[in-house]
């Protein structure tokens, strides 16, 4: 297994030159996608219930989206290498738009399943291709900042979406799905208009391909994938599935859950840009160590929290570590892939999706059979493993150019 070699932590320019325009465009497109998801996710269970769906069927509907993302991920690298990430990105946006529009006019629960499944496929086509494009066009010494700008769009969209969802739902339960379809069409047009082939040549078809076995022999890539798995497990298993039940068990209603998530999301949004600068200036290894360490400490402490105020504080501490983990692993993947096509970004995405699919199920079983502290411990253990793996990375100390 190889360790990080020269160039794994690129030198940083003293003047900190600006990022390519396409990075900000991808951030806006990602924000549109997350804004739309934020519109539909709060009303999806209620909408499904109008077709007679019970709790189990609603859970299956929610899980299907992630399962289809996971199932379609292996094909994203091949499609990007053959047609170029820009085309695959637009195809994913259009597929999601069609899926959302069809969902608005669904006539049965079975149709909902089919349309949400299509949306999962479109979602992974977009997300993998967008990240591959970003890593291909972002300069090596600015990949951390580029990843932070990209994630900032997602975070802002995710914060604003749920707030607007309730207003649209007052019109009709199908209105958020139609609004999501319109947002996706706007994002597709923006992508076609701004991400021109000449400007994104590093993410077009016909470039060199890096094979998966080569990636799996690179320690940087394995550490990034491990961090992605831990993040998916914690965000969707612990934060998304377990924390709400804990808050309700303390006697609070779901509104308190929303406030806790909103506060932690705001903390992460405020810290994401500084985190990107840390990744580029201090290096990938220190950022990975700090991110996994802070996140592991917060999740470990959550196992012993017995008051709502402490839960909010610890979720915010986790958000600080997560800000680093939004930028550093992607930068590591970008260093390894180095603009080449292949399955590098897709497999990295699959690790996060695998944590999102398996995490809620395993966390629920542990909570039922062992206890809630043990369930939190499962996420903390994964983060500790990622923390230990991050120490094995080799640091090439940044040097400033005059």
């Amino acid at each position: 297994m190889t360790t990080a070699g020269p160039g794994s932590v690129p030198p940083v320019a003293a003047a900190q030159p600006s990022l390519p325009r396409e990075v900000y465009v991808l951030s806006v497109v990602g924000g549109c996608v997350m804004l739309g998801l934020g519109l539909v996710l709060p009303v999806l269970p209620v909408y499904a219930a109008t077709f007679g769906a019970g709790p189990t069927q609603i859970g299956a509907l929610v899980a299907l989206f992630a399962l289809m993302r996971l199932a379609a991920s292996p094909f994203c690298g091949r499609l990007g290498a053959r047609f170029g990430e820009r085309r695959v990105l637009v195809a994913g946006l259009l597929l999601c738009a069609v899926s959302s529009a069809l969902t608005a006019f669904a006539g049965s629960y079975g149709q909902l399943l089919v349309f949400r499944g299509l949306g999962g496929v479109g979602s992974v086509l977009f997300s993998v291709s967008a990240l591959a494009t970003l890593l291909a066009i972002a300069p090596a010494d600015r990949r951390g900042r580029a990843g932070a700008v990209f994630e900032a769009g997602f975070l802002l969209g995710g914060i604003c979406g749920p707030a607007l969802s309730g207003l649209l739902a007052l019109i009709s339960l199908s209105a958020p799905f139609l609004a999501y379809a319109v947002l996706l069409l706007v994002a597709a047009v923006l992508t076609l208009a701004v991400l021109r082939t000449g400007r994104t040549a590093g993410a077009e078809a016909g470039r060199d391909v890096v094979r998966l076995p080569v990636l799996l022999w690179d320690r940087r890539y394995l550490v990034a994938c491990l961090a992605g798995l831990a993040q998916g497990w914690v965000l969707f298993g612990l934060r998304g599935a377990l924390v709400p039940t804990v808050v309700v068990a303390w006697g609070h209603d779901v509104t308190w859950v929303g406030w806790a998530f909103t506060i932690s999301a705001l903390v992460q949004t405020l810290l994401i840009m500084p985190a990107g600068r840390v990744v580029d200036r201090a290096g990938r290894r220190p950022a990975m160590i700090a991110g996994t360490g802070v996140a592991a400490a917060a999740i470990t402490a959550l196992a012993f929290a017995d008051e709502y105020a402490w839960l909010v504080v610890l979720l915010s501490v986790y958000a600080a570590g997560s800000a680093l983990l939004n930028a550093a692993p992607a930068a590591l993947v970008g260093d390894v892939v180095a603009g080449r096509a292949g399955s590098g970004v897709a497999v990295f995405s699959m690790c996060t999706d695998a944590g999102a699919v398996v995490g809620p199920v395993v966390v629920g079983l542990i909570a039922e059979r062992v206890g809630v502290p043990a369930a939190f411990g499962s996420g903390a253990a994964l983060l500790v493993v990622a923390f230990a793996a991050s120490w094995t990375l080799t640091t090439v100390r940044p040097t400033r150019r005059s």
Side-chain angles (χ1 to χ4, degrees), residues 10-11 17-21 23 133-147 280 284 331 334-335 401:
S18 61
L19 293 167
R21 178 186 61 177
V23 171
T133 301
L134 179 88
L135 296 178
I137 64 178
D141 62 339
R142 283 167 270 167
R143 284 196 182 113
R145 284 196 293 150
D280 287 335
R284 317 306 193 218
D335 294 341
R401 298 193 194 110

Side-chain angles (χ1 to χ4, degrees), residues 341-372:
S343 300
V345 176
V347 173
F348 172 63
S349 175
M350 285 178 66
C351 291
T352 303
D353 286 338
V357 171
V358 178
V361 178
V362 176
V363 164
L365 289 174
I366 295 175
E368 289 178 2
R369 299 185 180 183
V370 184
V372 170

Side-chain angles (χ1 to χ4, degrees), residues 230-231 233-235 238 292-304 318 363 366 372-388:
Q231 276 285 83
W233 188 285
V234 171
L235 285 174
L238 297 179
T292 53
V294 170
I299 296 301
T300 300
L302 270 175
F304 305 98
Y318 170 76
V363 164
I366 295 175
V372 170
F376 278 110
S378 68
L382 278 175
L383 287 167
V384 168
V385 173
F387 173 75

